[in-house]
Amino acid sequence: MVSQPIGSNFETRCLHSLVKVFADAELNETPFRRATVLHNETYAFQVAYRTNATYKNVQVSVVSELSNAVTLREVGLAPSEFPMYANHDGNLLRSAPGLYPDPLYPIGKEGVNALPSQWRSVWVSVDVTPLTAAGKHVIEVRFAEENGTLLGSESFELDVVPVSLPEQRLIHTEWFHTDCIATYYGDEVFSERHWQRVEQFVRTASKHGMNMLLTPLFTPPLDTKVGGERPTVQLIDVTKEGDSYRFGFDKLKRWVDMADSAGIRYFEFSHLFTQWGAAHAPKIMATENGEYKRIFGWETDAHGEAYKAFLNGFLPELVAFIGKHGLNDRSYFHVSDEPSMSHLESYRSAYETIKVHLAQFPMIDALSDYAFYEKGLVKNPIPANNHIEPFLENGVPNLWTYYCCAQYQKVANRFFAFPSVRNRVLALQLYKFQIAGFLHWGYNFWYSQYSIKEIDPFRVTDAGQGFPSGDAFLVYPGEEGPIESLRLEVFNETLQDLRALELLESKIGRDAVLSLIEEGLEQPITFSEYPSDAEWLLGKREQINRLLAESH
């Protein structure tokens, strides 16, 4: 349907998923009305709308033979006081504070409101399964007043290719902050209500391609002010009797069972030493003489005999638990997050302490200095995507990568202020460089920087002006569970693109796929050089789908 003129009071436009619709800006994107999709894939597009009047409780509905597979959500606006650093690279949508499109709110009986002279949009997700009929399907999205009077509609043609995306091979973790869930909802940690909410958020993570789960053996020593502490969320029960310890694994077993039922494949056990230097022990609580208290923390020398003795008692029992429950090939460990060269000897000491017990397991840590790997101190380094070149040049096997707040010049990332193509283009980079895993620290970090205070993520999206909006979390805490974000959905498209590339490789070979994705480019794709045009990226995915259809 052709967009209606503004004089008719209600204007609509079909858009692809990589458009960010701002309420205070003119919409210059051309209509986008058709695409292909594979089985085992969620396809998303948007319908934007604007009026020069005010319409309350506009009913949004779908007419399609695929209607049972379609979910409609309203793209909400989130405030950002800190959108971007001053010395950005220019590849962003805007740098001014304001309202940015991000949360995807369920559309209930009350519908949506159309406010004068504001572009807003509806996010349309189509879950395509192997049972979805192949061929072209029309999806019509209608807007109507409460009395049924039609205000406008848009039609999208989705062509289902009867080829199934393979299972995801990339290991993907977004750090899961169990304490933030308890704090926001006011639930006692590991009460039944807390367990239920945790499972909701884990299921949402799994649905969006996160197949590894940060598992808090003890309260993770992450983003915590030196001397401060986060709410206790340790899964291991500890009883201290003189100089010896007893350990209980019941909560850990429940955690593993919950994660299994949600589709989680891998477990990364929380860091055994503090962040930025491995100098101290994480907060560890124990019952001693009937009193539940902290026995290790910032006051603990990580390399002292007391903490070493604790680890020497605990780790063999943990390894036995892992073996008993068949988790040997699913378990990963951390030493300390983001050490720098000044921490090399402290990191070495920490690693030497635990490797005696954990030599059989992958040891993964986010770091950017190649020397840690070169000296054999980390078996599976995770360099940031702007520091990955030395690791690539030296052929590090099973290489992972990550980004966070510091990766804002040239490389892929997912801040509010960045165009969504900068989020989704990562698929080409992960494929080309055969990256084995991707890590990000912020699935649901709803505290201020350094966990000094709790925040309302619907009002504060920058960790209390700590990081650019979009770094700290991908989901919002809704009354009934997770509210997903536009950025989460686009990153899921990234993972689907990667799976499509891997499937095409199985049909035509890796060299042919590499030639396809770089065809016509002035320079090869790297982590800092890549096409920034959304239409180019979407067109490339259409090419891939056509080749897969031909190979069927």
PDB file of all heavy atoms in Angstrom, residues 272-302:
ATOM      1  N   LEU A 272      37.182 -16.016  39.795  1.00  0.00           N
ATOM      2  CA  LEU A 272      37.675 -16.432  41.107  1.00  0.00           C
ATOM      3  C   LEU A 272      38.572 -15.388  41.746  1.00  0.00           C
ATOM      4  O   LEU A 272      39.030 -15.566  42.885  1.00  0.00           O
ATOM      5  CB  LEU A 272      38.402 -17.770  40.980  1.00  0.00           C
ATOM      6  CG  LEU A 272      37.487 -18.939  40.565  1.00  0.00           C
ATOM      7  CD1 LEU A 272      38.296 -20.163  40.173  1.00  0.00           C
ATOM      8  CD2 LEU A 272      36.503 -19.278  41.681  1.00  0.00           C
ATOM      9  N   PHE A 273      38.823 -14.281  41.033  1.00  0.00           N
ATOM     10  CA  PHE A 273      39.632 -13.179  41.559  1.00  0.00           C
ATOM     11  C   PHE A 273      39.017 -11.862  41.083  1.00  0.00           C
ATOM     12  O   PHE A 273      38.292 -11.826  40.087  1.00  0.00           O
ATOM     13  CB  PHE A 273      41.085 -13.290  41.078  1.00  0.00           C
ATOM     14  CG  PHE A 273      41.760 -14.569  41.510  1.00  0.00           C
ATOM     15  CD1 PHE A 273      41.628 -15.734  40.755  1.00  0.00           C
ATOM     16  CD2 PHE A 273      42.488 -14.625  42.681  1.00  0.00           C
ATOM     17  CE1 PHE A 273      42.224 -16.915  41.149  1.00  0.00           C
ATOM     18  CE2 PHE A 273      43.088 -15.810  43.098  1.00  0.00           C
ATOM     19  CZ  PHE A 273      42.960 -16.953  42.321  1.00  0.00           C
ATOM     20  N   THR A 274      39.327 -10.780  41.767  1.00  0.00           N
ATOM     21  CA  THR A 274      38.703  -9.494  41.465  1.00  0.00           C
ATOM     22  C   THR A 274      39.129  -8.955  40.107  1.00  0.00           C
ATOM     23  O   THR A 274      40.158  -9.315  39.554  1.00  0.00           O
ATOM     24  CB  THR A 274      39.032  -8.456  42.554  1.00  0.00           C
ATOM     25  OG1 THR A 274      40.442  -8.426  42.758  1.00  0.00           O
ATOM     26  CG2 THR A 274      38.303  -8.744  43.845  1.00  0.00           C
ATOM     27  N   GLN A 275      38.303  -8.034  39.622  1.00  0.00           N
ATOM     28  CA  GLN A 275      38.472  -7.407  38.310  1.00  0.00           C
ATOM     29  C   GLN A 275      39.666  -6.446  38.324  1.00  0.00           C
ATOM     30  O   GLN A 275      40.058  -5.941  39.369  1.00  0.00           O
ATOM     31  CB  GLN A 275      37.181  -6.649  37.982  1.00  0.00           C
ATOM     32  CG  GLN A 275      37.000  -6.226  36.540  1.00  0.00           C
ATOM     33  CD  GLN A 275      35.590  -5.677  36.300  1.00  0.00           C
ATOM     34  OE1 GLN A 275      34.915  -5.250  37.229  1.00  0.00           O
ATOM     35  NE2 GLN A 275      35.145  -5.684  35.063  1.00  0.00           N
ATOM     36  N   TRP A 276      40.236  -6.249  37.124  1.00  0.00           N
ATOM     37  CA  TRP A 276      41.288  -5.242  36.937  1.00  0.00           C
ATOM     38  C   TRP A 276      42.501  -5.481  37.838  1.00  0.00           C
ATOM     39  O   TRP A 276      42.994  -4.587  38.511  1.00  0.00           O
ATOM     40  CB  TRP A 276      40.741  -3.828  37.160  1.00  0.00           C
ATOM     41  CG  TRP A 276      39.516  -3.531  36.367  1.00  0.00           C
ATOM     42  CD1 TRP A 276      39.330  -3.696  35.027  1.00  0.00           C
ATOM     43  CD2 TRP A 276      38.264  -3.031  36.868  1.00  0.00           C
ATOM     44  NE1 TRP A 276      38.053  -3.334  34.663  1.00  0.00           N
ATOM     45  CE2 TRP A 276      37.387  -2.917  35.763  1.00  0.00           C
ATOM     46  CE3 TRP A 276      37.815  -2.659  38.140  1.00  0.00           C
ATOM     47  CZ2 TRP A 276      36.080  -2.463  35.912  1.00  0.00           C
ATOM     48  CZ3 TRP A 276      36.514  -2.200  38.277  1.00  0.00           C
ATOM     49  CH2 TRP A 276      35.666  -2.113  37.167  1.00  0.00           C
ATOM     50  N   GLY A 277      42.979  -6.718  37.861  1.00  0.00           N
ATOM     51  CA  GLY A 277      44.228  -6.937  38.576  1.00  0.00           C
ATOM     52  C   GLY A 277      44.380  -8.224  39.346  1.00  0.00           C
ATOM     53  O   GLY A 277      45.489  -8.583  39.737  1.00  0.00           O
ATOM     54  N   ALA A 278      43.290  -8.944  39.615  1.00  0.00           N
ATOM     55  CA  ALA A 278      43.353 -10.223  40.328  1.00  0.00           C
ATOM     56  C   ALA A 278      44.058 -10.095  41.673  1.00  0.00           C
ATOM     57  O   ALA A 278      44.751 -10.996  42.122  1.00  0.00           O
ATOM     58  CB  ALA A 278      44.053 -11.286  39.471  1.00  0.00           C
ATOM     59  N   ALA A 279      43.852  -8.975  42.351  1.00  0.00           N
ATOM     60  CA  ALA A 279      44.569  -8.726  43.599  1.00  0.00           C
ATOM     61  C   ALA A 279      43.841  -9.248  44.833  1.00  0.00           C
ATOM     62  O   ALA A 279      44.462  -9.465  45.878  1.00  0.00           O
ATOM     63  CB  ALA A 279      44.821  -7.227  43.763  1.00  0.00           C
ATOM     64  N   HIS A 280      42.527  -9.454  44.720  1.00  0.00           N
ATOM     65  CA  HIS A 280      41.744  -9.828  45.898  1.00  0.00           C
ATOM     66  C   HIS A 280      40.808 -10.986  45.574  1.00  0.00           C
ATOM     67  O   HIS A 280      40.623 -11.361  44.411  1.00  0.00           O
ATOM     68  CB  HIS A 280      40.921  -8.633  46.390  1.00  0.00           C
ATOM     69  CG  HIS A 280      41.741  -7.418  46.648  1.00  0.00           C
ATOM     70  ND1 HIS A 280      42.448  -7.227  47.809  1.00  0.00           N
ATOM     71  CD2 HIS A 280      41.997  -6.324  45.867  1.00  0.00           C
ATOM     72  CE1 HIS A 280      43.094  -6.071  47.756  1.00  0.00           C
ATOM     73  NE2 HIS A 280      42.840  -5.514  46.581  1.00  0.00           N
ATOM     74  N   ALA A 281      40.212 -11.517  46.626  1.00  0.00           N
ATOM     75  CA  ALA A 281      39.211 -12.572  46.463  1.00  0.00           C
ATOM     76  C   ALA A 281      37.853 -11.940  46.215  1.00  0.00           C
ATOM     77  O   ALA A 281      37.586 -10.816  46.660  1.00  0.00           O
ATOM     78  CB  ALA A 281      39.153 -13.433  47.722  1.00  0.00           C
ATOM     79  N   PRO A 282      36.953 -12.638  45.522  1.00  0.00           N
ATOM     80  CA  PRO A 282      35.570 -12.163  45.435  1.00  0.00           C
ATOM     81  C   PRO A 282      34.919 -12.238  46.808  1.00  0.00           C
ATOM     82  O   PRO A 282      35.444 -12.871  47.729  1.00  0.00           O
ATOM     83  CB  PRO A 282      34.925 -13.146  44.452  1.00  0.00           C
ATOM     84  CG  PRO A 282      35.737 -14.385  44.581  1.00  0.00           C
ATOM     85  CD  PRO A 282      37.149 -13.935  44.860  1.00  0.00           C
ATOM     86  N   LYS A 283      33.773 -11.581  46.942  1.00  0.00           N
ATOM     87  CA  LYS A 283      33.032 -11.700  48.197  1.00  0.00           C
ATOM     88  C   LYS A 283      32.543 -13.135  48.342  1.00  0.00           C
ATOM     89  O   LYS A 283      31.848 -13.652  47.464  1.00  0.00           O
ATOM     90  CB  LYS A 283      31.845 -10.743  48.218  1.00  0.00           C
ATOM     91  CG  LYS A 283      31.036 -10.843  49.512  1.00  0.00           C
ATOM     92  CD  LYS A 283      29.918  -9.823  49.596  1.00  0.00           C
ATOM     93  CE  LYS A 283      28.719 -10.184  48.792  1.00  0.00           C
ATOM     94  NZ  LYS A 283      27.549  -9.339  49.097  1.00  0.00           N
ATOM     95  N   ILE A 284      32.919 -13.771  49.444  1.00  0.00           N
ATOM     96  CA  ILE A 284      32.481 -15.139  49.713  1.00  0.00           C
ATOM     97  C   ILE A 284      31.881 -15.179  51.108  1.00  0.00           C
ATOM     98  O   ILE A 284      32.492 -14.748  52.089  1.00  0.00           O
ATOM     99  CB  ILE A 284      33.645 -16.137  49.589  1.00  0.00           C
ATOM    100  CG1 ILE A 284      34.153 -16.159  48.129  1.00  0.00           C
ATOM    101  CG2 ILE A 284      33.209 -17.529  50.033  1.00  0.00           C
ATOM    102  CD1 ILE A 284      35.339 -17.060  47.907  1.00  0.00           C
ATOM    103  N   MET A 285      30.649 -15.664  51.174  1.00  0.00           N
ATOM    104  CA  MET A 285      29.914 -15.761  52.422  1.00  0.00           C
ATOM    105  C   MET A 285      29.935 -17.202  52.929  1.00  0.00           C
ATOM    106  O   MET A 285      29.926 -18.150  52.137  1.00  0.00           O
ATOM    107  CB  MET A 285      28.474 -15.303  52.209  1.00  0.00           C
ATOM    108  CG  MET A 285      28.325 -13.901  51.658  1.00  0.00           C
ATOM    109  SD  MET A 285      28.864 -12.614  52.793  1.00  0.00           S
ATOM    110  CE  MET A 285      27.552 -12.712  54.040  1.00  0.00           C
ATOM    111  N   ALA A 286      29.950 -17.347  54.255  1.00  0.00           N
ATOM    112  CA  ALA A 286      29.962 -18.675  54.861  1.00  0.00           C
ATOM    113  C   ALA A 286      29.249 -18.638  56.199  1.00  0.00           C
ATOM    114  O   ALA A 286      29.124 -17.577  56.830  1.00  0.00           O
ATOM    115  CB  ALA A 286      31.394 -19.167  55.045  1.00  0.00           C
ATOM    116  N   THR A 287      28.801 -19.794  56.638  1.00  0.00           N
ATOM    117  CA  THR A 287      28.259 -19.940  57.984  1.00  0.00           C
ATOM    118  C   THR A 287      29.365 -20.450  58.897  1.00  0.00           C
ATOM    119  O   THR A 287      29.975 -21.491  58.633  1.00  0.00           O
ATOM    120  CB  THR A 287      27.069 -20.915  57.983  1.00  0.00           C
ATOM    121  OG1 THR A 287      26.040 -20.405  57.127  1.00  0.00           O
ATOM    122  CG2 THR A 287      26.511 -21.087  59.386  1.00  0.00           C
ATOM    123  N   GLU A 288      29.636 -19.693  59.948  1.00  0.00           N
ATOM    124  CA  GLU A 288      30.682 -20.071  60.912  1.00  0.00           C
ATOM    125  C   GLU A 288      30.127 -19.873  62.313  1.00  0.00           C
ATOM    126  O   GLU A 288      29.677 -18.780  62.663  1.00  0.00           O
ATOM    127  CB  GLU A 288      31.938 -19.231  60.705  1.00  0.00           C
ATOM    128  CG  GLU A 288      33.084 -19.636  61.620  1.00  0.00           C
ATOM    129  CD  GLU A 288      34.367 -18.851  61.350  1.00  0.00           C
ATOM    130  OE1 GLU A 288      34.293 -17.780  60.711  1.00  0.00           O
ATOM    131  OE2 GLU A 288      35.436 -19.321  61.778  1.00  0.00           O
ATOM    132  N   ASN A 289      30.114 -20.960  63.090  1.00  0.00           N
ATOM    133  CA  ASN A 289      29.558 -20.913  64.451  1.00  0.00           C
ATOM    134  C   ASN A 289      28.133 -20.351  64.453  1.00  0.00           C
ATOM    135  O   ASN A 289      27.755 -19.544  65.303  1.00  0.00           O
ATOM    136  CB  ASN A 289      30.456 -20.074  65.369  1.00  0.00           C
ATOM    137  CG  ASN A 289      31.844 -20.677  65.508  1.00  0.00           C
ATOM    138  OD1 ASN A 289      32.006 -21.902  65.540  1.00  0.00           O
ATOM    139  ND2 ASN A 289      32.853 -19.814  65.575  1.00  0.00           N
ATOM    140  N   GLY A 290      27.370 -20.755  63.426  1.00  0.00           N
ATOM    141  CA  GLY A 290      25.971 -20.357  63.351  1.00  0.00           C
ATOM    142  C   GLY A 290      25.731 -18.978  62.773  1.00  0.00           C
ATOM    143  O   GLY A 290      24.575 -18.567  62.617  1.00  0.00           O
ATOM    144  N   GLU A 291      26.791 -18.242  62.444  1.00  0.00           N
ATOM    145  CA  GLU A 291      26.651 -16.893  61.899  1.00  0.00           C
ATOM    146  C   GLU A 291      27.005 -16.881  60.417  1.00  0.00           C
ATOM    147  O   GLU A 291      28.045 -17.409  60.012  1.00  0.00           O
ATOM    148  CB  GLU A 291      27.575 -15.929  62.649  1.00  0.00           C
ATOM    149  CG  GLU A 291      27.491 -14.498  62.142  1.00  0.00           C
ATOM    150  CD  GLU A 291      28.533 -13.592  62.793  1.00  0.00           C
ATOM    151  OE1 GLU A 291      29.318 -14.072  63.633  1.00  0.00           O
ATOM    152  OE2 GLU A 291      28.575 -12.390  62.426  1.00  0.00           O
ATOM    153  N   TYR A 292      26.120 -16.273  59.618  1.00  0.00           N
ATOM    154  CA  TYR A 292      26.364 -16.146  58.182  1.00  0.00           C
ATOM    155  C   TYR A 292      27.095 -14.830  57.948  1.00  0.00           C
ATOM    156  O   TYR A 292      26.564 -13.746  58.250  1.00  0.00           O
ATOM    157  CB  TYR A 292      25.038 -16.164  57.420  1.00  0.00           C
ATOM    158  CG  TYR A 292      25.167 -16.266  55.907  1.00  0.00           C
ATOM    159  CD1 TYR A 292      25.780 -17.366  55.320  1.00  0.00           C
ATOM    160  CD2 TYR A 292      24.661 -15.271  55.084  1.00  0.00           C
ATOM    161  CE1 TYR A 292      25.886 -17.481  53.947  1.00  0.00           C
ATOM    162  CE2 TYR A 292      24.755 -15.368  53.696  1.00  0.00           C
ATOM    163  CZ  TYR A 292      25.378 -16.476  53.136  1.00  0.00           C
ATOM    164  OH  TYR A 292      25.483 -16.587  51.770  1.00  0.00           O
ATOM    165  N   LYS A 293      28.309 -14.898  57.430  1.00  0.00           N
ATOM    166  CA  LYS A 293      29.121 -13.694  57.315  1.00  0.00           C
ATOM    167  C   LYS A 293      30.101 -13.809  56.153  1.00  0.00           C
ATOM    168  O   LYS A 293      30.319 -14.895  55.591  1.00  0.00           O
ATOM    169  CB  LYS A 293      29.887 -13.461  58.609  1.00  0.00           C
ATOM    170  CG  LYS A 293      30.890 -14.569  58.953  1.00  0.00           C
ATOM    171  CD  LYS A 293      31.594 -14.289  60.273  1.00  0.00           C
ATOM    172  CE  LYS A 293      32.633 -15.349  60.592  1.00  0.00           C
ATOM    173  NZ  LYS A 293      33.333 -15.068  61.873  1.00  0.00           N
ATOM    174  N   ARG A 294      30.702 -12.678  55.811  1.00  0.00           N
ATOM    175  CA  ARG A 294      31.707 -12.655  54.751  1.00  0.00           C
ATOM    176  C   ARG A 294      33.026 -13.146  55.307  1.00  0.00           C
ATOM    177  O   ARG A 294      33.498 -12.674  56.341  1.00  0.00           O
ATOM    178  CB  ARG A 294      31.866 -11.234  54.204  1.00  0.00           C
ATOM    179  CG  ARG A 294      32.721 -11.177  52.940  1.00  0.00           C
ATOM    180  CD  ARG A 294      32.902  -9.765  52.408  1.00  0.00           C
ATOM    181  NE  ARG A 294      33.767  -8.990  53.258  1.00  0.00           N
ATOM    182  CZ  ARG A 294      33.443  -7.840  53.814  1.00  0.00           C
ATOM    183  NH1 ARG A 294      32.240  -7.325  53.628  1.00  0.00           N
ATOM    184  NH2 ARG A 294      34.285  -7.188  54.595  1.00  0.00           N
ATOM    185  N   ILE A 295      33.623 -14.105  54.604  1.00  0.00           N
ATOM    186  CA  ILE A 295      34.923 -14.614  55.052  1.00  0.00           C
ATOM    187  C   ILE A 295      36.062 -14.200  54.119  1.00  0.00           C
ATOM    188  O   ILE A 295      37.223 -14.262  54.509  1.00  0.00           O
ATOM    189  CB  ILE A 295      34.910 -16.154  55.215  1.00  0.00           C
ATOM    190  CG1 ILE A 295      34.552 -16.838  53.886  1.00  0.00           C
ATOM    191  CG2 ILE A 295      33.968 -16.571  56.334  1.00  0.00           C
ATOM    192  CD1 ILE A 295      34.748 -18.356  53.908  1.00  0.00           C
ATOM    193  N   PHE A 296      35.725 -13.788  52.888  1.00  0.00           N
ATOM    194  CA  PHE A 296      36.730 -13.266  51.954  1.00  0.00           C
ATOM    195  C   PHE A 296      36.140 -12.082  51.207  1.00  0.00           C
ATOM    196  O   PHE A 296      34.927 -11.986  51.015  1.00  0.00           O
ATOM    197  CB  PHE A 296      37.179 -14.336  50.954  1.00  0.00           C
ATOM    198  CG  PHE A 296      37.866 -15.523  51.563  1.00  0.00           C
ATOM    199  CD1 PHE A 296      37.280 -16.776  51.519  1.00  0.00           C
ATOM    200  CD2 PHE A 296      39.099 -15.385  52.186  1.00  0.00           C
ATOM    201  CE1 PHE A 296      37.898 -17.878  52.080  1.00  0.00           C
ATOM    202  CE2 PHE A 296      39.731 -16.485  52.763  1.00  0.00           C
ATOM    203  CZ  PHE A 296      39.137 -17.728  52.716  1.00  0.00           C
ATOM    204  N   GLY A 297      37.002 -11.192  50.751  1.00  0.00           N
ATOM    205  CA  GLY A 297      36.560 -10.027  49.995  1.00  0.00           C
ATOM    206  C   GLY A 297      37.724  -9.104  49.700  1.00  0.00           C
ATOM    207  O   GLY A 297      38.871  -9.557  49.541  1.00  0.00           O
ATOM    208  N   TRP A 298      37.451  -7.816  49.648  1.00  0.00           N
ATOM    209  CA  TRP A 298      38.501  -6.841  49.307  1.00  0.00           C
ATOM    210  C   TRP A 298      39.663  -6.873  50.297  1.00  0.00           C
ATOM    211  O   TRP A 298      40.785  -6.502  49.952  1.00  0.00           O
ATOM    212  CB  TRP A 298      37.908  -5.433  49.265  1.00  0.00           C
ATOM    213  CG  TRP A 298      37.021  -5.167  48.096  1.00  0.00           C
ATOM    214  CD1 TRP A 298      35.669  -4.978  48.122  1.00  0.00           C
ATOM    215  CD2 TRP A 298      37.412  -5.061  46.720  1.00  0.00           C
ATOM    216  NE1 TRP A 298      35.189  -4.763  46.846  1.00  0.00           N
ATOM    217  CE2 TRP A 298      36.243  -4.807  45.964  1.00  0.00           C
ATOM    218  CE3 TRP A 298      38.637  -5.146  46.050  1.00  0.00           C
ATOM    219  CZ2 TRP A 298      36.260  -4.643  44.585  1.00  0.00           C
ATOM    220  CZ3 TRP A 298      38.661  -4.985  44.669  1.00  0.00           C
ATOM    221  CH2 TRP A 298      37.490  -4.740  43.958  1.00  0.00           C
ATOM    222  N   GLU A 299      39.368  -7.283  51.518  1.00  0.00           N
ATOM    223  CA  GLU A 299      40.436  -7.327  52.530  1.00  0.00           C
ATOM    224  C   GLU A 299      41.346  -8.535  52.363  1.00  0.00           C
ATOM    225  O   GLU A 299      42.369  -8.662  53.040  1.00  0.00           O
ATOM    226  CB  GLU A 299      39.800  -7.352  53.923  1.00  0.00           C
ATOM    227  CG  GLU A 299      39.081  -8.648  54.291  1.00  0.00           C
ATOM    228  CD  GLU A 299      37.678  -8.788  53.696  1.00  0.00           C
ATOM    229  OE1 GLU A 299      37.252  -7.873  52.947  1.00  0.00           O
ATOM    230  OE2 GLU A 299      37.013  -9.812  53.964  1.00  0.00           O
ATOM    231  N   THR A 300      40.990  -9.434  51.449  1.00  0.00           N
ATOM    232  CA  THR A 300      41.721 -10.684  51.280  1.00  0.00           C
ATOM    233  C   THR A 300      42.794 -10.566  50.202  1.00  0.00           C
ATOM    234  O   THR A 300      42.507 -10.183  49.068  1.00  0.00           O
ATOM    235  CB  THR A 300      40.759 -11.823  50.885  1.00  0.00           C
ATOM    236  OG1 THR A 300      39.702 -11.904  51.825  1.00  0.00           O
ATOM    237  CG2 THR A 300      41.497 -13.151  50.806  1.00  0.00           C
ATOM    238  N   ASP A 301      44.008 -10.882  50.557  1.00  0.00           N
ATOM    239  CA  ASP A 301      45.081 -10.982  49.569  1.00  0.00           C
ATOM    240  C   ASP A 301      44.813 -12.230  48.727  1.00  0.00           C
ATOM    241  O   ASP A 301      44.798 -13.346  49.243  1.00  0.00           O
ATOM    242  CB  ASP A 301      46.433 -11.090  50.280  1.00  0.00           C
ATOM    243  CG  ASP A 301      47.607 -11.251  49.310  1.00  0.00           C
ATOM    244  OD1 ASP A 301      47.378 -11.282  48.076  1.00  0.00           O
ATOM    245  OD2 ASP A 301      48.750 -11.360  49.786  1.00  0.00           O
ATOM    246  N   ALA A 302      44.592 -12.012  47.434  1.00  0.00           N
ATOM    247  CA  ALA A 302      44.255 -13.138  46.561  1.00  0.00           C
ATOM    248  C   ALA A 302      45.343 -14.196  46.537  1.00  0.00           C
ATOM    249  O   ALA A 302      45.072 -15.360  46.213  1.00  0.00           O
ATOM    250  CB  ALA A 302      44.003 -12.626  45.147  1.00  0.00           C
TER     251      ALA A 302
END
